[in-house]
Amino acid sequence: GDAQRGLRAAHAAFWLSPQTLSVGLIGPGNVGRTLLQQLAEAAPRFAAGALHGQNLDLRVRAIANSRQMLLDPRTLDPASAADDLRDVGEPLDLQRFVAHVRAEHLPHAMIVDCSGSDAVAAHYAEWLAAGIHVVTPNKHAGSGPLPRFQAIRRASRGGGQFRYEATVGAGLPVIRTLRDLIDTGDVLHEVEGLFSGTLAWLFNRFDGSAPFSELVLEARKLGYTEPDPRDDLSGMDVARKLVILAREAGRELSLEDVAIENLVPEPLRALDLDAFLARIDELDAPLQARLEAARADGGKLRYLARLDRDGRADVSLVVPPAGHASLYGRLTDNLIQFRTLRYPDNPLVVQGPGAGPEVTAAGVFGDILAIAQTLN
């Protein structure tokens, strides 16, 4: 049954034909659309063999959202695929979508999940076991139920490759750096830092000259927050990233083990979005009090994630000590410090922009290329 796919893989491996990668993209939202645009811009470079001399034939043959899908027997135009899905898409049938991506006449298949859906992440182990590569910025696989994560890891050892660099730090090489440390025999002691470009921007700007709620609305307008800012302010997104890094280092941490400080007052948490936005100024008084208390001690506020050597994990609003690296980052910078056996006193720091669809899509794109470069 795999003879045709195997023959094409052999031809590509001996440079007798291009490496053809059949790609299905799920979730053409902000990140997904930006990724499609980046793929469209890169297509001429691939055809010219600019990927380390490799002639890559990367075909986006399927695209889907939560309701519709669009399949093409050869390839969709990445520049217009999201609009075409909206205009002429058919009802979503995920099983048929996956079968189309794993075409019998093409040697390699990949699903890129930009959806942020836990239900989609539940299929990763199945897809990987079938030899389908999976690339994602979706945090639900890496931070969801531990047995599911372990099943994904097992499936990726004997099937498709699983890449998820963009789940932490957008386009920054955070997971890759930690993996290199561990693979070369280093031992992780502690992780600490700014894991949210959104919260970094808010607390870099929050100096009392404008109410905190105004800054939240400004960040939302700039596209830094999720459509519902409570998804950022709850701390859950930061906690998921911390769990992903802990598991990468071999610790069996779950979300339930993380102490999370939610910056949204209890009465506002269950409201619908419009009602929350109408009452968003209720954020101001408690955070202004926190700011004044920090200033009284000569400090500043930062929302930090921390995992210590005893396995305790928390994400919370704190006043870092003078000289802490988080006090000197740029507006949307993520900043992750690794203290390890080799870096016990002066931690290894990964820092750079951590918010925005462009850098997140670039991180996903980097994972796609990393898999493509292994196919020979």
Side-chain angles (χ1 to χ4, degrees):
D2 288 331
Q4 192 173 11
R5 182 182 295 113
L7 179 63
R8 289 199 173 226
H11 282 182
F14 284 101
W15 298 67
L16 301 174
S17 62
Q19 280 289 2
T20 304
L21 187 57
S22 173
V23 178
L25 184 139
I26 301 174
N30 288 339
V31 173
R33 276 181 174 268
T34 304
L35 174 62
L36 288 168
Q37 187 59 45
Q38 292 178 0
L39 289 171
E41 293 167 357
R45 300 201 306 275
F46 293 157
L51 183 62
H52 297 280
Q54 180 177 344
N55 188 359
L56 178 64
D57 182 8
L58 195 156
R59 303 182 190 179
V60 179
R61 300 178 61 251
I63 184 172
N65 57 27
S66 60
R67 303 173 306 281
Q68 294 176 290
M69 66 180 184
L70 183 62
L71 314 178
D72 191 281
R74 179 164 176 80
T75 186
L76 296 163
D77 179 0
S80 62
D83 292 331
D84 294 340
L85 171 66
R86 181 193 61 210
D87 296 338
V88 297
E90 59 182 297
L92 176 63
D93 179 337
L94 190 58
Q95 187 173 357
R96 191 157 71 89
F97 176 93
V98 174
H100 179 82
V101 173
R102 193 179 183 271
E104 290 185 2
H105 64 287
L106 297 175
H108 307 291
M110 174 187 292
I111 291 178
V112 181
D113 174 26
C114 297
S115 69
S117 164
D118 186 69
V120 173
H123 292 280
Y124 288 0
E126 167 195 343
W127 296 340
L128 291 163
I132 301 171
H133 308 300
V134 176
V135 173
T136 186
N138 184 347
K139 302 173 188 65
H140 285 280
S143 65
L146 187 59
R148 184 175 73 185
F149 173 74
Q150 292 169 334
I152 290 170
R153 274 291 178 83
R154 287 193 299 269
S156 66
R157 293 189 189 110
Q161 298 182 48
F162 179 45
R163 301 262 180 167
Y164 48 99
E165 183 67 67
T167 58
V168 182
L172 300 177
V174 178
I175 292 173
R176 190 178 315 129
T177 298
L178 178 56
R179 184 182 295 131
D180 287 346
L181 291 172
I182 301 300
D183 288 348
T184 57
D186 207 346
V187 179
L188 181 69
H189 290 164
E190 299 176 0
V191 179
E192 183 182 51
L194 301 167
F195 283 37
S196 166
T198 302
L199 292 171
W201 187 90
L202 287 170
F203 288 104
N204 273 315
R205 290 286 309 278
F206 185 43
D207 58 6
S209 61
F212 188 78
S213 60
E214 286 188 14
L215 296 176
V216 173
L217 294 175
E218 182 180 350
R220 185 171 185 259
K221 185 176 180 180
L222 291 169
Y224 291 158
T225 74
E226 295 295 326
D228 187 336
R230 289 172 294 185
D231 293 340
D232 300 289
L233 299 172
S234 70
M236 183 60 71
D237 182 66
V238 175
R240 288 188 182 280
K241 296 174 184 178
L242 187 61
V243 168
I244 290 169
L245 289 184
R247 290 177 176 178
E248 194 66 34
R251 304 194 185 184
E252 295 188 349
L253 192 74
S254 296
L255 275 176
E256 297 76 20
D257 303 321
V258 184
I260 305 171
E261 180 179 4
N262 191 332
L263 299 181
V264 181
E266 183 73 38
L268 304 184
R269 295 176 190 174
L271 299 176
D272 64 44
L273 177 59
D274 290 339
F276 165 69
L277 293 175
R279 296 174 56 183
I280 194 171
D281 60 357
E282 293 179 32
L283 295 171
D284 295 337
L287 285 166
Q288 184 65 32
R290 296 283 290 274
L291 177 64
E292 291 172 1
R295 281 181 161 178
D297 293 330
K300 297 180 180 180
L301 294 173
R302 294 292 184 267
Y303 196 87
L304 294 184
R306 293 171 293 191
L307 174 70
D308 68 20
R309 65 180 61 212
D310 297 320
R312 290 187 295 266
D314 69 274
V315 297
S316 59
L317 189 62
V318 300
V319 181
H324 194 278
S326 66
L327 300 173
Y328 305 102
R330 297 190 178 186
L331 285 178
T332 63
D333 274 6
N334 276 194
L335 184 149
I336 295 91
Q337 298 185 144
F338 297 113
R339 291 188 187 275
T340 71
L341 185 64
R342 294 181 190 143
Y343 300 90
D345 301 317
N346 188 17
L348 177 63
V349 177
V350 180
Q351 180 177 357
E358 290 82 8
V359 291
T360 303
V364 176
F365 199 172
D367 277 346
I368 293 172
L369 296 185
I371 290 176
Q373 289 171 7
T374 70
L375 298 182
N376 277 332

